[in-house]
Amino acid sequence: EREKYLLDQFLMYGGNIIFFLDQMAVNIEDAGGEGTIGMPFETGLDDLLFRYGIRINRDLVQDLNFGYDPVVSGEYGDQPQIVPLPWPFYVQAGRMADHPITKGLDVVQFRFASSLDTVKADNVVKTPLVFTSDFTRRQSAPVRVAFGDMANEPDVNSFNETNLPLVYLLEGQFTSFFKNRFVPAGFDKDKFLSVSNSGRILVAGAADAIKSWIDPRQDEPLPLGVDPFATNNTANRTFLQNAVNYLVEPDGIIA
């Protein structure tokens, strides 16, 4: 509650926040053999975000516009043979809103992303920024995650959702989550603000969107957006830079 109060009052006092949250816990190292199960991960922030006007669902998005995951297929001599496996859980999102944060961006990759829904929040404008392709599906928790499932060609007919928003920008006057609640112990009640003058929040249901790959051959981190198994880099780094620039000064150079 103390940490939620600090985030809440930071927003009320004019701060801006980027939330990149994993709503589902998946251990990719267990996806071989019989596979593993993706289960909901309790961040403790669901009720806070709900008050601000957004909900991260307990599901995983798959898209036929996908990236690849490195899988060890055997050994050659004493060197592991790594094969890039097509992986619909790695969404290659190339549809962008006409907005300063995303205008002109190339593909942004989201690994194990959850879908987003907006909820009622007075005086808050909600703008979707990044979308999936025409061939998308959502799988609600618990979700089977297994490399073996990719041995067969995916059923295109089951990917029957289109243009799911993966990132939302929220702007406006936010109402404090702690309005009409007790202020946590140790804080001055007289300094509590129940409504922000103005604020901005960016929300995505995939923490790995701003996490670098590890080069499996060198075991070293790569720059954000560099995929060791793709011919082209993704725009994750530019997207993050644009988001920070906009949140700090929307009428500045980003405009």
Side-chain angles (χ1 to χ4, degrees):
E1 287 296 294
R2 173 183 172 82
E3 292 171 351
K4 285 163 71 170
Y5 185 79
L6 289 169
L7 286 171
D8 179 86
Q9 288 300 288
F10 174 74
L11 181 65
M12 295 305 111
Y13 272 88
N16 306 301
I17 308 178
I18 294 178
F19 290 99
F20 278 77
L21 304 177
D22 283 331
Q23 192 73 316
M24 298 281 287
V26 179
N27 187 353
I28 190 68
E29 294 180 0
D30 294 335
E34 295 298 316
T36 185
I37 300 294
M39 296 295 291
F41 178 74
E42 295 298 332
T43 64
L45 295 170
D46 289 356
D47 47 5
L48 192 75
L49 292 175
F50 194 89
R51 171 59 67 91
Y52 299 154
I54 193 80
R55 178 177 64 224
I56 305 177
N57 298 313
R58 289 177 169 82
D59 61 17
L60 289 176
V61 174
Q62 287 190 323
D63 198 303
L64 288 185
N65 192 21
F66 48 70
Y68 293 81
D69 191 79
V71 177
V72 177
S73 62
E75 291 190 357
Y76 182 77
D78 60 349
Q79 294 295 318
Q81 295 301 295
I82 300 173
V83 176
L85 186 75
W87 199 228
F89 288 110
Y90 290 176
V91 179
Q92 301 285 91
R95 293 194 171 167
M96 308 292 171
D98 184 12
H99 187 277
I101 293 177
T102 50
K103 189 172 183 179
L105 279 190
D106 201 351
V107 168
V108 176
Q109 186 181 82
F110 295 83
R111 289 176 260 170
F112 295 111
S114 296
S115 65
L116 305 173
D117 284 329
T118 59
V119 295
K120 181 177 173 58
D122 294 333
N123 302 315
V124 176
V125 177
K126 311 172 189 77
T127 305
L129 294 179
V130 185
F131 304 86
T132 64
S133 76
D134 288 338
F135 300 97
T136 306
R137 69 180 179 185
R138 287 179 284 187
Q139 295 183 296
S140 299
V143 180
R144 172 178 163 83
V145 179
F147 291 134
D149 293 346
M150 291 307 297
N152 301 313
E153 190 172 327
D155 178 12
V156 176
N157 293 326
S158 67
F159 289 78
N160 54 9
E161 296 189 79
T162 64
N163 299 340
L164 294 179
L166 296 174
V167 181
Y168 263 98
L169 172 68
L170 311 181
E171 300 175 282
Q173 287 186 310
F174 294 93
T175 300
S176 171
F177 172 71
F178 290 89
K179 184 178 180 179
N180 301 322
R181 295 171 181 259
F182 289 110
V183 171
F187 291 101
D188 187 346
K189 297 178 182 178
D190 294 333
K191 293 183 179 179
F192 169 73
L193 288 184
S194 60
V195 179
S196 69
N197 288 325
S198 65
R200 290 173 290 278
I201 296 175
L202 195 80
V203 181
D208 277 0
I210 53 174
K211 180 181 177 182
S212 296
W213 280 92
I214 298 293
D215 186 336
R217 297 182 179 89
Q218 305 296 330
D219 198 31
E220 294 287 341
L222 296 168
L224 181 59
V226 175
D227 186 336
F229 295 99
T231 55
N232 297 316
N233 297 335
T234 60
N236 292 56
R237 178 184 175 90
T238 306
F239 169 71
L240 179 59
Q241 289 174 324
N242 288 356
V244 171
N245 285 332
Y246 182 86
L247 292 184
V248 170
E249 194 176 4
D251 298 321
I253 191 65
I254 188 68

